[in-house]
Amino acid sequence: MAIRKILRYGDDFLRKEAKDVHKVSKKIQDLVIDLLDTMYASNGVGLAAPQIGEGYRVFVVDVSSNDEPYNPIVFINPKIIKKSGATISREGCLSFPEAYTDVKRYSNVMIKALDRKGRSFVLEAKDGTLLARCIQHEYDHLDGVLFVDHAIDKFEVEEQLSKNNLPPLEINRILEEKELDEEINKLLEKIDTKNENE
Ligand code: ZN
């Protein structure tokens, strides 16, 4: 199929909520192929349809390492049905070339979706693995949420954005994440206690 243009941060389309797929038609299957082609061509581990200007609830991930065979996973109309634990993870995004920052994520997620043939499946990703984090990152794109909205250090994000000629942080988009913050605090306490005991 085709390698598509990836929208950059600053494009309003990235902030739009995507629509459910009513039927996994040929058009949607072609979109999945474009997403995979574009993700692999950009050396990404995930890509969501809104990033290529398609407002459908579809994303793809492949967290296999370079020496492993491709292992694409396709998510259509995904729903995160369970989430727990917390982790801090350094992330980037194909819509934010060269910008990276630490963000808050759940460590464990259970997600339900349709695969590229329209069959329902449930997948569990645990322990803050790349897969668990990547699923949350891509899922967010379907709701117009971007990784910088979960940022821990606003100043670092500002620095990263300006260094890479990207628009400034949208402060009003920063998420209030009470549940996740509580988990993060527990995590930090655990690290502190561990340090004291050493
Ligand atoms: Zn992204």
Side-chain angles (χ1 to χ4, degrees), residues 122-152:
V122 173
L123 186 145
E124 197 171 10
K126 290 178 149 183
D127 303 323
T129 50
L130 179 57
L131 179 62
R133 294 181 274 121
C134 189
I135 285 173
Q136 293 170 76
H137 178 119
E138 301 309 329
Y139 188 86
D140 271 352
H141 275 298
L142 308 183
D143 292 324
V145 174
L146 301 171
F147 78 119
V148 291
D149 303 343
H150 296 279
I152 290 170

PDB file of all heavy atoms in Angstrom, residues 122-152:
ATOM      1  N   VAL A 122      -8.865 -10.290  23.448  1.00  0.00           N
ATOM      2  CA  VAL A 122      -8.500  -9.577  24.678  1.00  0.00           C
ATOM      3  C   VAL A 122      -7.012  -9.794  24.883  1.00  0.00           C
ATOM      4  O   VAL A 122      -6.508 -10.905  24.691  1.00  0.00           O
ATOM      5  CB  VAL A 122      -9.282 -10.116  25.893  1.00  0.00           C
ATOM      6  CG1 VAL A 122      -8.770  -9.489  27.188  1.00  0.00           C
ATOM      7  CG2 VAL A 122     -10.770  -9.838  25.747  1.00  0.00           C
ATOM      8  N   LEU A 123      -6.298  -8.733  25.241  1.00  0.00           N
ATOM      9  CA  LEU A 123      -4.863  -8.860  25.452  1.00  0.00           C
ATOM     10  C   LEU A 123      -4.509  -8.190  26.775  1.00  0.00           C
ATOM     11  O   LEU A 123      -5.040  -7.128  27.100  1.00  0.00           O
ATOM     12  CB  LEU A 123      -4.154  -8.182  24.285  1.00  0.00           C
ATOM     13  CG  LEU A 123      -2.640  -8.294  24.185  1.00  0.00           C
ATOM     14  CD1 LEU A 123      -2.262  -8.377  22.715  1.00  0.00           C
ATOM     15  CD2 LEU A 123      -1.931  -7.120  24.797  1.00  0.00           C
ATOM     16  N   GLU A 124      -3.642  -8.839  27.524  1.00  0.00           N
ATOM     17  CA  GLU A 124      -3.211  -8.267  28.782  1.00  0.00           C
ATOM     18  C   GLU A 124      -1.724  -7.961  28.674  1.00  0.00           C
ATOM     19  O   GLU A 124      -0.944  -8.802  28.227  1.00  0.00           O
ATOM     20  CB  GLU A 124      -3.488  -9.257  29.911  1.00  0.00           C
ATOM     21  CG  GLU A 124      -3.454  -8.608  31.261  1.00  0.00           C
ATOM     22  CD  GLU A 124      -3.930  -9.514  32.382  1.00  0.00           C
ATOM     23  OE1 GLU A 124      -4.120 -10.726  32.150  1.00  0.00           O
ATOM     24  OE2 GLU A 124      -4.101  -8.995  33.498  1.00  0.00           O
ATOM     25  N   ALA A 125      -1.335  -6.755  29.052  1.00  0.00           N
ATOM     26  CA  ALA A 125       0.086  -6.392  29.041  1.00  0.00           C
ATOM     27  C   ALA A 125       0.414  -5.908  30.442  1.00  0.00           C
ATOM     28  O   ALA A 125      -0.278  -5.039  30.986  1.00  0.00           O
ATOM     29  CB  ALA A 125       0.341  -5.304  28.012  1.00  0.00           C
ATOM     30  N   LYS A 126       1.446  -6.498  31.032  1.00  0.00           N
ATOM     31  CA  LYS A 126       1.732  -6.245  32.450  1.00  0.00           C
ATOM     32  C   LYS A 126       3.131  -5.697  32.688  1.00  0.00           C
ATOM     33  O   LYS A 126       3.985  -5.747  31.807  1.00  0.00           O
ATOM     34  CB  LYS A 126       1.611  -7.559  33.219  1.00  0.00           C
ATOM     35  CG  LYS A 126       0.185  -8.059  33.338  1.00  0.00           C
ATOM     36  CD  LYS A 126       0.190  -9.381  34.066  1.00  0.00           C
ATOM     37  CE  LYS A 126      -1.088  -9.555  34.871  1.00  0.00           C
ATOM     38  NZ  LYS A 126      -1.052 -10.780  35.625  1.00  0.00           N
ATOM     39  N   ASP A 127       3.325  -5.250  33.953  1.00  0.00           N
ATOM     40  CA  ASP A 127       4.642  -4.900  34.474  1.00  0.00           C
ATOM     41  C   ASP A 127       5.319  -3.734  33.748  1.00  0.00           C
ATOM     42  O   ASP A 127       6.548  -3.704  33.625  1.00  0.00           O
ATOM     43  CB  ASP A 127       5.583  -6.128  34.434  1.00  0.00           C
ATOM     44  CG  ASP A 127       4.998  -7.299  35.217  1.00  0.00           C
ATOM     45  OD1 ASP A 127       4.376  -7.037  36.266  1.00  0.00           O
ATOM     46  OD2 ASP A 127       5.138  -8.448  34.762  1.00  0.00           O
ATOM     47  N   GLY A 128       4.516  -2.815  33.230  1.00  0.00           N
ATOM     48  CA  GLY A 128       5.105  -1.632  32.591  1.00  0.00           C
ATOM     49  C   GLY A 128       5.992  -1.965  31.410  1.00  0.00           C
ATOM     50  O   GLY A 128       6.930  -1.225  31.101  1.00  0.00           O
ATOM     51  N   THR A 129       5.694  -3.065  30.736  1.00  0.00           N
ATOM     52  CA  THR A 129       6.482  -3.433  29.552  1.00  0.00           C
ATOM     53  C   THR A 129       6.255  -2.402  28.444  1.00  0.00           C
ATOM     54  O   THR A 129       5.299  -1.623  28.496  1.00  0.00           O
ATOM     55  CB  THR A 129       6.040  -4.803  29.005  1.00  0.00           C
ATOM     56  OG1 THR A 129       4.618  -4.781  28.868  1.00  0.00           O
ATOM     57  CG2 THR A 129       6.451  -5.930  29.922  1.00  0.00           C
ATOM     58  N   LEU A 130       7.113  -2.447  27.453  1.00  0.00           N
ATOM     59  CA  LEU A 130       6.971  -1.546  26.313  1.00  0.00           C
ATOM     60  C   LEU A 130       5.578  -1.715  25.696  1.00  0.00           C
ATOM     61  O   LEU A 130       4.928  -0.737  25.327  1.00  0.00           O
ATOM     62  CB  LEU A 130       8.076  -1.832  25.284  1.00  0.00           C
ATOM     63  CG  LEU A 130       8.065  -0.986  24.013  1.00  0.00           C
ATOM     64  CD1 LEU A 130       8.144   0.502  24.320  1.00  0.00           C
ATOM     65  CD2 LEU A 130       9.203  -1.396  23.080  1.00  0.00           C
ATOM     66  N   LEU A 131       5.103  -2.951  25.631  1.00  0.00           N
ATOM     67  CA  LEU A 131       3.776  -3.193  25.054  1.00  0.00           C
ATOM     68  C   LEU A 131       2.691  -2.489  25.868  1.00  0.00           C
ATOM     69  O   LEU A 131       1.819  -1.825  25.303  1.00  0.00           O
ATOM     70  CB  LEU A 131       3.505  -4.704  24.971  1.00  0.00           C
ATOM     71  CG  LEU A 131       2.132  -5.090  24.408  1.00  0.00           C
ATOM     72  CD1 LEU A 131       1.958  -4.612  22.970  1.00  0.00           C
ATOM     73  CD2 LEU A 131       1.919  -6.605  24.489  1.00  0.00           C
ATOM     74  N   ALA A 132       2.772  -2.618  27.201  1.00  0.00           N
ATOM     75  CA  ALA A 132       1.757  -2.000  28.072  1.00  0.00           C
ATOM     76  C   ALA A 132       1.737  -0.485  27.891  1.00  0.00           C
ATOM     77  O   ALA A 132       0.679   0.138  27.802  1.00  0.00           O
ATOM     78  CB  ALA A 132       2.035  -2.358  29.532  1.00  0.00           C
ATOM     79  N   ARG A 133       2.906   0.113  27.795  1.00  0.00           N
ATOM     80  CA  ARG A 133       3.008   1.573  27.673  1.00  0.00           C
ATOM     81  C   ARG A 133       2.573   2.026  26.282  1.00  0.00           C
ATOM     82  O   ARG A 133       1.901   3.044  26.117  1.00  0.00           O
ATOM     83  CB  ARG A 133       4.437   2.012  27.974  1.00  0.00           C
ATOM     84  CG  ARG A 133       4.801   1.736  29.431  1.00  0.00           C
ATOM     85  CD  ARG A 133       6.191   2.187  29.774  1.00  0.00           C
ATOM     86  NE  ARG A 133       7.217   1.206  29.486  1.00  0.00           N
ATOM     87  CZ  ARG A 133       8.240   1.406  28.658  1.00  0.00           C
ATOM     88  NH1 ARG A 133       8.370   2.540  28.013  1.00  0.00           N
ATOM     89  NH2 ARG A 133       9.146   0.461  28.480  1.00  0.00           N
ATOM     90  N   CYS A 134       2.993   1.248  25.298  1.00  0.00           N
ATOM     91  CA  CYS A 134       2.686   1.592  23.917  1.00  0.00           C
ATOM     92  C   CYS A 134       1.175   1.542  23.662  1.00  0.00           C
ATOM     93  O   CYS A 134       0.623   2.424  22.997  1.00  0.00           O
ATOM     94  CB  CYS A 134       3.436   0.599  23.027  1.00  0.00           C
ATOM     95  SG  CYS A 134       3.385   1.025  21.326  1.00  0.00           S
ATOM     96  N   ILE A 135       0.512   0.537  24.230  1.00  0.00           N
ATOM     97  CA  ILE A 135      -0.946   0.433  24.068  1.00  0.00           C
ATOM     98  C   ILE A 135      -1.612   1.690  24.616  1.00  0.00           C
ATOM     99  O   ILE A 135      -2.481   2.275  23.972  1.00  0.00           O
ATOM    100  CB  ILE A 135      -1.483  -0.840  24.774  1.00  0.00           C
ATOM    101  CG1 ILE A 135      -1.123  -2.082  23.950  1.00  0.00           C
ATOM    102  CG2 ILE A 135      -2.985  -0.748  25.013  1.00  0.00           C
ATOM    103  CD1 ILE A 135      -1.450  -3.410  24.635  1.00  0.00           C
ATOM    104  N   GLN A 136      -1.181   2.158  25.797  1.00  0.00           N
ATOM    105  CA  GLN A 136      -1.801   3.343  26.398  1.00  0.00           C
ATOM    106  C   GLN A 136      -1.522   4.590  25.557  1.00  0.00           C
ATOM    107  O   GLN A 136      -2.400   5.429  25.356  1.00  0.00           O
ATOM    108  CB  GLN A 136      -1.287   3.549  27.829  1.00  0.00           C
ATOM    109  CG  GLN A 136      -1.747   2.440  28.765  1.00  0.00           C
ATOM    110  CD  GLN A 136      -1.048   2.503  30.117  1.00  0.00           C
ATOM    111  OE1 GLN A 136      -1.376   3.348  30.946  1.00  0.00           O
ATOM    112  NE2 GLN A 136      -0.090   1.620  30.354  1.00  0.00           N
ATOM    113  N   HIS A 137      -0.305   4.678  25.041  1.00  0.00           N
ATOM    114  CA  HIS A 137       0.075   5.831  24.216  1.00  0.00           C
ATOM    115  C   HIS A 137      -0.794   5.902  22.950  1.00  0.00           C
ATOM    116  O   HIS A 137      -1.350   6.960  22.621  1.00  0.00           O
ATOM    117  CB  HIS A 137       1.569   5.712  23.860  1.00  0.00           C
ATOM    118  CG  HIS A 137       2.091   6.798  22.985  1.00  0.00           C
ATOM    119  ND1 HIS A 137       3.105   7.642  23.375  1.00  0.00           N
ATOM    120  CD2 HIS A 137       1.757   7.179  21.735  1.00  0.00           C
ATOM    121  CE1 HIS A 137       3.358   8.495  22.392  1.00  0.00           C
ATOM    122  NE2 HIS A 137       2.553   8.224  21.381  1.00  0.00           N
ATOM    123  N   GLU A 138      -0.909   4.775  22.260  1.00  0.00           N
ATOM    124  CA  GLU A 138      -1.668   4.767  20.994  1.00  0.00           C
ATOM    125  C   GLU A 138      -3.162   4.935  21.244  1.00  0.00           C
ATOM    126  O   GLU A 138      -3.851   5.630  20.497  1.00  0.00           O
ATOM    127  CB  GLU A 138      -1.404   3.480  20.205  1.00  0.00           C
ATOM    128  CG  GLU A 138       0.053   3.228  19.841  1.00  0.00           C
ATOM    129  CD  GLU A 138       0.734   4.411  19.172  1.00  0.00           C
ATOM    130  OE1 GLU A 138       0.062   5.191  18.465  1.00  0.00           O
ATOM    131  OE2 GLU A 138       1.947   4.584  19.381  1.00  0.00           O
ATOM    132  N   TYR A 139      -3.642   4.304  22.297  1.00  0.00           N
ATOM    133  CA  TYR A 139      -5.056   4.408  22.669  1.00  0.00           C
ATOM    134  C   TYR A 139      -5.432   5.875  22.891  1.00  0.00           C
ATOM    135  O   TYR A 139      -6.469   6.344  22.439  1.00  0.00           O
ATOM    136  CB  TYR A 139      -5.272   3.588  23.939  1.00  0.00           C
ATOM    137  CG  TYR A 139      -6.698   3.423  24.384  1.00  0.00           C
ATOM    138  CD1 TYR A 139      -7.491   2.394  23.866  1.00  0.00           C
ATOM    139  CD2 TYR A 139      -7.256   4.258  25.341  1.00  0.00           C
ATOM    140  CE1 TYR A 139      -8.794   2.218  24.292  1.00  0.00           C
ATOM    141  CE2 TYR A 139      -8.560   4.085  25.771  1.00  0.00           C
ATOM    142  CZ  TYR A 139      -9.321   3.063  25.241  1.00  0.00           C
ATOM    143  OH  TYR A 139     -10.607   2.896  25.671  1.00  0.00           O
ATOM    144  N   ASP A 140      -4.561   6.598  23.560  1.00  0.00           N
ATOM    145  CA  ASP A 140      -4.767   8.026  23.796  1.00  0.00           C
ATOM    146  C   ASP A 140      -4.981   8.803  22.503  1.00  0.00           C
ATOM    147  O   ASP A 140      -5.790   9.721  22.456  1.00  0.00           O
ATOM    148  CB  ASP A 140      -3.518   8.626  24.470  1.00  0.00           C
ATOM    149  CG  ASP A 140      -3.563   8.540  25.985  1.00  0.00           C
ATOM    150  OD1 ASP A 140      -4.604   8.163  26.542  1.00  0.00           O
ATOM    151  OD2 ASP A 140      -2.527   8.864  26.606  1.00  0.00           O
ATOM    152  N   HIS A 141      -4.215   8.449  21.477  1.00  0.00           N
ATOM    153  CA  HIS A 141      -4.330   9.178  20.208  1.00  0.00           C
ATOM    154  C   HIS A 141      -5.767   9.157  19.681  1.00  0.00           C
ATOM    155  O   HIS A 141      -6.199  10.087  19.003  1.00  0.00           O
ATOM    156  CB  HIS A 141      -3.419   8.554  19.139  1.00  0.00           C
ATOM    157  CG  HIS A 141      -2.002   9.054  19.169  1.00  0.00           C
ATOM    158  ND1 HIS A 141      -1.676  10.375  18.952  1.00  0.00           N
ATOM    159  CD2 HIS A 141      -0.825   8.407  19.357  1.00  0.00           C
ATOM    160  CE1 HIS A 141      -0.354  10.515  19.014  1.00  0.00           C
ATOM    161  NE2 HIS A 141       0.189   9.341  19.271  1.00  0.00           N
ATOM    162  N   LEU A 142      -6.505   8.083  19.988  1.00  0.00           N
ATOM    163  CA  LEU A 142      -7.875   7.970  19.483  1.00  0.00           C
ATOM    164  C   LEU A 142      -8.805   8.968  20.161  1.00  0.00           C
ATOM    165  O   LEU A 142      -9.874   9.278  19.661  1.00  0.00           O
ATOM    166  CB  LEU A 142      -8.405   6.536  19.673  1.00  0.00           C
ATOM    167  CG  LEU A 142      -7.498   5.417  19.131  1.00  0.00           C
ATOM    168  CD1 LEU A 142      -8.166   4.072  19.324  1.00  0.00           C
ATOM    169  CD2 LEU A 142      -7.162   5.638  17.656  1.00  0.00           C
ATOM    170  N   ASP A 143      -8.383   9.468  21.317  1.00  0.00           N
ATOM    171  CA  ASP A 143      -9.170  10.465  22.049  1.00  0.00           C
ATOM    172  C   ASP A 143      -8.543  11.854  21.963  1.00  0.00           C
ATOM    173  O   ASP A 143      -8.898  12.745  22.735  1.00  0.00           O
ATOM    174  CB  ASP A 143      -9.301  10.044  23.527  1.00  0.00           C
ATOM    175  CG  ASP A 143     -10.163   8.800  23.670  1.00  0.00           C
ATOM    176  OD1 ASP A 143     -11.141   8.676  22.906  1.00  0.00           O
ATOM    177  OD2 ASP A 143      -9.851   7.951  24.527  1.00  0.00           O
ATOM    178  N   GLY A 144      -7.600  12.025  21.082  1.00  0.00           N
ATOM    179  CA  GLY A 144      -6.966  13.330  20.924  1.00  0.00           C
ATOM    180  C   GLY A 144      -6.031  13.692  22.059  1.00  0.00           C
ATOM    181  O   GLY A 144      -5.716  14.863  22.269  1.00  0.00           O
ATOM    182  N   VAL A 145      -5.615  12.665  22.814  1.00  0.00           N
ATOM    183  CA  VAL A 145      -4.693  12.907  23.932  1.00  0.00           C
ATOM    184  C   VAL A 145      -3.272  12.573  23.467  1.00  0.00           C
ATOM    185  O   VAL A 145      -3.058  11.579  22.767  1.00  0.00           O
ATOM    186  CB  VAL A 145      -5.082  12.040  25.157  1.00  0.00           C
ATOM    187  CG1 VAL A 145      -4.054  12.154  26.271  1.00  0.00           C
ATOM    188  CG2 VAL A 145      -6.468  12.446  25.669  1.00  0.00           C
ATOM    189  N   LEU A 146      -2.315  13.412  23.849  1.00  0.00           N
ATOM    190  CA  LEU A 146      -0.934  13.213  23.415  1.00  0.00           C
ATOM    191  C   LEU A 146      -0.037  12.953  24.617  1.00  0.00           C
ATOM    192  O   LEU A 146      -0.381  13.334  25.743  1.00  0.00           O
ATOM    193  CB  LEU A 146      -0.467  14.449  22.646  1.00  0.00           C
ATOM    194  CG  LEU A 146      -1.340  14.757  21.412  1.00  0.00           C
ATOM    195  CD1 LEU A 146      -0.972  16.107  20.804  1.00  0.00           C
ATOM    196  CD2 LEU A 146      -1.228  13.656  20.370  1.00  0.00           C
ATOM    197  N   PHE A 147       1.084  12.302  24.387  1.00  0.00           N
ATOM    198  CA  PHE A 147       1.907  11.861  25.529  1.00  0.00           C
ATOM    199  C   PHE A 147       2.353  13.009  26.424  1.00  0.00           C
ATOM    200  O   PHE A 147       2.474  12.832  27.634  1.00  0.00           O
ATOM    201  CB  PHE A 147       3.086  10.984  25.067  1.00  0.00           C
ATOM    202  CG  PHE A 147       4.273  11.707  24.484  1.00  0.00           C
ATOM    203  CD1 PHE A 147       5.525  11.627  25.069  1.00  0.00           C
ATOM    204  CD2 PHE A 147       4.152  12.457  23.329  1.00  0.00           C
ATOM    205  CE1 PHE A 147       6.632  12.272  24.526  1.00  0.00           C
ATOM    206  CE2 PHE A 147       5.244  13.113  22.778  1.00  0.00           C
ATOM    207  CZ  PHE A 147       6.480  13.029  23.380  1.00  0.00           C
ATOM    208  N   VAL A 148       2.553  14.190  25.832  1.00  0.00           N
ATOM    209  CA  VAL A 148       2.993  15.325  26.651  1.00  0.00           C
ATOM    210  C   VAL A 148       1.916  15.759  27.656  1.00  0.00           C
ATOM    211  O   VAL A 148       2.217  16.427  28.648  1.00  0.00           O
ATOM    212  CB  VAL A 148       3.432  16.530  25.783  1.00  0.00           C
ATOM    213  CG1 VAL A 148       4.721  16.216  25.043  1.00  0.00           C
ATOM    214  CG2 VAL A 148       2.350  16.937  24.798  1.00  0.00           C
ATOM    215  N   ASP A 149       0.659  15.349  27.422  1.00  0.00           N
ATOM    216  CA  ASP A 149      -0.418  15.675  28.369  1.00  0.00           C
ATOM    217  C   ASP A 149      -0.234  14.921  29.693  1.00  0.00           C
ATOM    218  O   ASP A 149      -0.858  15.254  30.689  1.00  0.00           O
ATOM    219  CB  ASP A 149      -1.793  15.318  27.792  1.00  0.00           C
ATOM    220  CG  ASP A 149      -2.071  16.001  26.462  1.00  0.00           C
ATOM    221  OD1 ASP A 149      -1.381  16.982  26.140  1.00  0.00           O
ATOM    222  OD2 ASP A 149      -2.976  15.539  25.743  1.00  0.00           O
ATOM    223  N   HIS A 150       0.593  13.868  29.670  1.00  0.00           N
ATOM    224  CA  HIS A 150       0.865  13.077  30.877  1.00  0.00           C
ATOM    225  C   HIS A 150       2.232  13.423  31.462  1.00  0.00           C
ATOM    226  O   HIS A 150       2.753  12.689  32.292  1.00  0.00           O
ATOM    227  CB  HIS A 150       0.923  11.578  30.538  1.00  0.00           C
ATOM    228  CG  HIS A 150      -0.349  10.981  30.027  1.00  0.00           C
ATOM    229  ND1 HIS A 150      -1.380  10.597  30.844  1.00  0.00           N
ATOM    230  CD2 HIS A 150      -0.741  10.662  28.770  1.00  0.00           C
ATOM    231  CE1 HIS A 150      -2.346  10.064  30.116  1.00  0.00           C
ATOM    232  NE2 HIS A 150      -1.984  10.100  28.864  1.00  0.00           N
ATOM    233  N   ALA A 151       2.823  14.493  30.983  1.00  0.00           N
ATOM    234  CA  ALA A 151       4.216  14.782  31.343  1.00  0.00           C
ATOM    235  C   ALA A 151       4.407  15.010  32.830  1.00  0.00           C
ATOM    236  O   ALA A 151       3.519  15.510  33.519  1.00  0.00           O
ATOM    237  CB  ALA A 151       4.701  15.994  30.575  1.00  0.00           C
ATOM    238  N   ILE A 152       5.572  14.652  33.300  1.00  0.00           N
ATOM    239  CA  ILE A 152       5.909  14.835  34.709  1.00  0.00           C
ATOM    240  C   ILE A 152       6.616  16.175  34.900  1.00  0.00           C
ATOM    241  O   ILE A 152       6.374  16.881  35.854  1.00  0.00           O
ATOM    242  CB  ILE A 152       6.785  13.650  35.175  1.00  0.00           C
ATOM    243  CG1 ILE A 152       5.897  12.398  35.228  1.00  0.00           C
ATOM    244  CG2 ILE A 152       7.433  13.938  36.521  1.00  0.00           C
ATOM    245  CD1 ILE A 152       6.632  11.122  35.439  1.00  0.00           C
TER     246      ILE A 152
END
